[in-house]
Amino acid sequence: MSDTPKRATQAVWAGEERSLIQHATQVPVVKSVAFSYDDLDHWRDVALGDAPGHIYGRNTNPTVDVFEEKVRILEGAEAATSFATGMAAISNVLLTFLRPGLRVVSIKDSYGGTSKIFLEDLPAFGVDVTLCDTLDVDALEREIDRGLDLLYLESPTNPTVKIVDIERLAGKARERGAITVVDNTFATPINQHPLELGADLVLHSATKFLGGHADALGGVLAGRADLVERVFARREIHGATLHPEAAYLLLRGMKTLALRVERQNASALALAQWLQTHPAVANVHYPGLPSHPNHDVAVRQMPGGFGAMFSFELHGGFDAVREVLPRLRFAHCAANLGAVETTVAPPRTGSHVELTTEQRAALGIPEGLIRYSTGIEDVADLMADLEQALASLTTA
Ligand SMILES: *Cc1c(COP(=O)(O)O)cnc(C)c1O
């Protein structure tokens, strides 16, 4: 038997085994912006990294350190660093490794903010950006074979929960000398371990499942120490630092990460299976369903479960969505996801609000689609709630 604790244990204990002050059992929120020294030799030693300690809150903070350490251990990484938001993690990573003339390959279905960086910011800086159809693995391999500096993946994707074969593509990118970065937000470290699949860096919007309570923004990056170190060196200058209060809330939320995700995995699978049989529903997208186009890849690369996120399409298009969503009692109509409460969002008013109907259709996002982030409520209540909300559609 290995002595390495399981992830449910790590979620509770990792990073917290050494209490920070006065034998407190909970991590204190250290709000001090600056830290002082016994004498100038001590200050110099801390500043040069020859002695442990902190200098200034934009660089490091004791509460934030614990959050980073917990994620580092959960992701099985050499190092981790944190950010004010998930988008700060993503933008700092891309700005650290990409320069004019360098090349990034990614998928068309990445998170909306990430897409904007690929389509607007990076081309303006002279970075060569190639976005492939998410499910076209041959095109992705061809573009990787042409040579690249960074491969950026996300799986499952938003909102149609497509699955990208991380191991296959990261292996190919490595042969070309490129680094692979994976946004693991939808999967969580409970369900999917990108570093074990060959990725060099994994990142999260901690705002979502890691925190789990929709009350704190944050981002985090984990992976190879030399690479994390380079991103940290930019972040401490660029200044998108995680606030210690947010770090505390994220840490507190993470203690129940495994419990929450196990419940959400089971409930999402049950709801997706049931919705498939519902007469008002045209289509259900969930990697746990055998009908999902990449179910076999999902089975291989998501050993913990298929996650809380699924989407389904109503026969009645957007008019049906408009009618059904306000009827749900146990679901917020809200832009976030990954919380203890169920949240629902139509791409038309949520993640893809700025696109036209035609542009959404080109991305394979029909007007009748609903993104469902399964919470931790009792699944029987969630099912009954969906049933009553959908009933009007089939009787009308
Ligand atoms: C929300 C989200 C982000 C951005 O995170 P913020 O914390 O909102 O900045 C990035 N990737 C995915 C997959 C997300 O769901």
Side-chain angles (χ1 to χ4, degrees), residues 97-145:
F97 296 112
L98 294 169
R99 291 273 170 281
L102 298 190
R103 179 162 192 254
V104 56
V105 172
S106 189
I107 54 173
K108 286 187 183 159
D109 285 83
S110 51
Y111 179 75
T114 312
S115 282
K116 283 227 178 268
I117 295 180
F118 284 141
L119 295 172
E120 294 172 15
D121 296 347
L122 293 176
F125 293 149
V127 173
D128 178 358
V129 178
T130 303
L131 303 182
C132 298
D133 282 334
T134 304
L135 292 180
D136 192 345
V137 71
D138 293 334
L140 278 157
E141 290 199 326
R142 223 169 26 243
E143 293 300 337
I144 294 170
D145 276 337

Side-chain angles (χ1 to χ4, degrees), residues 51-94:
H54 301 273
I55 298 167
Y56 184 63
R58 174 154 42 74
N59 312 105
T60 61
N61 167 280
T63 312
V64 171
D65 273 3
V66 179
F67 167 70
E68 294 170 349
E69 181 65 1
K70 196 184 278 298
V71 176
R72 181 189 76 76
I73 290 174
L74 275 167
E75 286 290 6
E78 290 173 8
T81 191
S82 60
F83 305 83
T85 63
M87 280 315 303
I90 293 163
S91 55
N92 274 270
V93 165
L94 294 173

